[in-house]
Amino acid sequence: MTKIQSLATDGAKQLRLMISLILFVWLLFPVAALSADTGLVCAIDMGSTNFKLMLGEMKGGEYVQHDYMKDRLAVGNDMAKTGAISSPKLTEIRRILEKYLAVCDAKGIMTRTAVATAAFREATNRRVVEDISKSLNLPLEIASEKRESELAYMVATLGKPNFAVIDNGSRSIELVTYAAESYQWRVFNLGYAVAFEQFFRPAKTFVEANEKYRQAVAPHFEAASFMKKREGYVGVEMEHLVRNLLSLERADGVSISKNTVLKKVAELKALPEAEFRKLKNVKNIEAFLPRLVVADQSLSTFGYNEMQVFERELGVGLIVEQGIPSR
């Protein structure tokens, strides 16, 4: 073999090795391999209970958050009274959006985006909210159930395929997976705030509330068989549950085991009526009890031994997708 032939052979080997390495990385991290850095983005999450502002970016295939603000507006409770968002609440919405945009202006961030969820898509006067956003030059998307599910998936996985994701919000619960370039999803309005008022507040014992809530949720879980046998089970808006169960200040990326959940459920089932009555007056208990039941039931139904939780809001999905090519 001549020296030139030897060099050519070595070059071909190196090329094959490089191609193999690229394919290996692609198979392990298919989205991260294609994701692009976005630069700073102002994303506003207009939830049924809380509004949140996130200043973040996708960088090196990961989400990096630089700042965060949160305000409780309880739009869902307001809308539920008449089916429309009241004038005082609309004024409050404008004020909060103006405050958030002022923060974006001060930081010099010109890329802004917003998403509104269940309460807004159900409101009969949703068009007024869209007009407010338009007057503030804020791109707003009132997400359909399908779209909210897609965003929840991106928030939980940063776009990586073949995971099962649950987003347990105050008004709605989204179940969603992504594989073979398509989403499967199911949405139902039995989120923690709705469930607490319907099942927990009127119940005399945790046993009673647990049984009735499980019966209501069961058909939705049973219809979501696509959630089974995925690479992992990931929770969005479940951090309050994990923080309390594990006594943590933050629960980003933390996993909660099925055994830990079962132990707490058993403890609550043993509470006498008087103790359960006191428990229902504890601050933020409405965000804990229904989510505990959902965690217990979903882990059993879908066949997982643990759930990994990320402290990322739905609006983060708007930032994540800017770094991912169109599917």
Side-chain angles (χ1 to χ4, degrees):
M1 181 182 293
T2 67
K3 185 174 182 181
I4 292 176
Q5 289 174 323
S6 177
L7 289 172
T9 301
D10 290 344
K13 288 180 179 179
Q14 290 177 359
L15 180 60
R16 286 196 296 270
L17 180 62
M18 184 178 297
I19 291 172
S20 298
L21 182 60
I22 290 171
L23 287 173
F24 177 73
V25 171
W26 167 250
L27 289 171
L28 281 181
F29 308 105
V31 175
L34 280 179
S35 63
D37 294 353
T38 62
L40 276 175
V41 178
C42 281
I44 298 174
D45 179 351
M46 300 165 60
S48 299
T49 300
N50 299 308
F51 275 32
K52 306 110 178 178
L53 169 67
M54 288 135 281
L55 308 184
E57 63 181 321
M58 284 297 291
K59 191 170 185 178
E62 296 296 329
Y63 174 69
V64 181
Q65 187 155 286
H66 295 263
D67 208 348
Y68 174 81
M69 295 178 67
K70 177 178 175 179
D71 292 273
R72 182 180 175 85
L73 272 76
V75 174
N77 293 341
D78 181 78
M79 183 277 299
K81 296 172 185 175
T82 64
I85 303 169
S86 67
S87 293
K89 190 63 65 176
L90 289 169
T91 300
E92 190 176 1
I93 288 171
R94 175 180 283 276
R95 180 182 63 81
I96 293 298
L97 292 179
E98 288 175 341
K99 181 178 79 169
Y100 288 172
L101 290 174
V103 173
C104 300
D105 289 339
K107 301 282 187 179
I109 305 172
M110 301 311 298
T111 305
R112 294 101 184 271
T113 183
V115 61
T117 54
F120 294 90
R121 64 173 170 259
E122 295 171 19
T124 57
N125 60 341
R126 55 182 282 178
R127 181 61 62 84
V128 180
V129 178
E130 291 173 328
D131 290 341
I132 291 172
S133 176
K134 191 176 296 183
S135 72
L136 297 173
N137 294 315
L138 173 65
L140 168 65
E141 177 180 2
I142 297 183
S144 65
E145 291 183 349
K146 179 178 184 293
R147 175 62 171 154
E148 187 170 351
S149 299
E150 292 172 354
L151 287 172
Y153 188 88
M154 282 187 276
V155 168
T157 68
L158 301 184
K160 297 179 180 68
N162 203 33
F163 284 84
V165 173
I166 183 169
D167 182 349
N168 193 346
S170 63
R171 193 166 186 83
S172 64
I173 294 177
E174 287 78 43
L175 307 173
V176 57
T177 62
Y178 175 78
E181 299 186 357
S182 66
Y183 288 96
Q184 290 180 278
W185 53 276
R186 187 176 182 87
V187 178
F188 53 100
N189 286 344
L190 284 171
Y192 70 84
V194 175
F196 188 82
E197 293 302 320
Q198 189 171 341
F199 302 104
F200 291 84
R201 192 178 295 283
K204 292 183 178 180
T205 63
F206 177 80
V207 171
E208 177 188 343
N210 176 61
E211 182 177 346
K212 290 182 177 179
Y213 188 31
R214 287 178 68 95
Q215 288 176 356
V217 168
H220 300 286
F221 285 172
E222 290 166 4
S225 59
F226 55 81
M227 295 284 285
K228 299 178 180 179
K229 297 180 181 179
R230 302 291 175 171
E231 289 190 27
Y233 187 35
V234 187
V236 178
E237 290 207 52
M238 296 291 274
E239 66 272 11
H240 187 276
L241 170 70
V242 177
R243 284 183 202 165
N244 280 272
L245 283 177
L246 301 181
S247 300
L248 300 173
E249 289 189 8
R250 279 188 61 79
D252 193 44
V254 174
S255 292
I256 188 76
S257 72
K258 183 178 177 180
N259 286 339
T260 299
V261 171
L262 289 173
K263 183 178 179 181
K264 187 62 179 181
V265 168
E267 178 186 316
L268 291 171
K269 284 182 175 179
L271 283 181
E273 288 186 21
E275 290 301 312
F276 183 61
R277 188 163 55 249
K278 290 179 183 177
L279 178 64
K280 288 189 288 183
N281 292 320
V282 171
K283 184 178 179 181
N284 294 326
I285 195 65
E286 74 281 357
F288 177 78
L289 293 178
R291 282 169 165 151
L292 177 68
V293 174
V294 164
D296 175 21
Q297 190 170 3
S298 64
L299 283 164
S300 297
T301 303
F302 301 142
Y304 297 100
N305 290 319
E306 65 178 17
M307 173 196 296
Q308 187 176 23
V309 171
F310 288 98
E311 293 204 26
R312 298 195 285 251
E313 310 291 348
L314 191 71
V316 169
L318 298 171
I319 302 173
V320 174
E321 72 176 355
Q322 291 196 28
I324 298 175
S326 299
R327 288 172 169 166

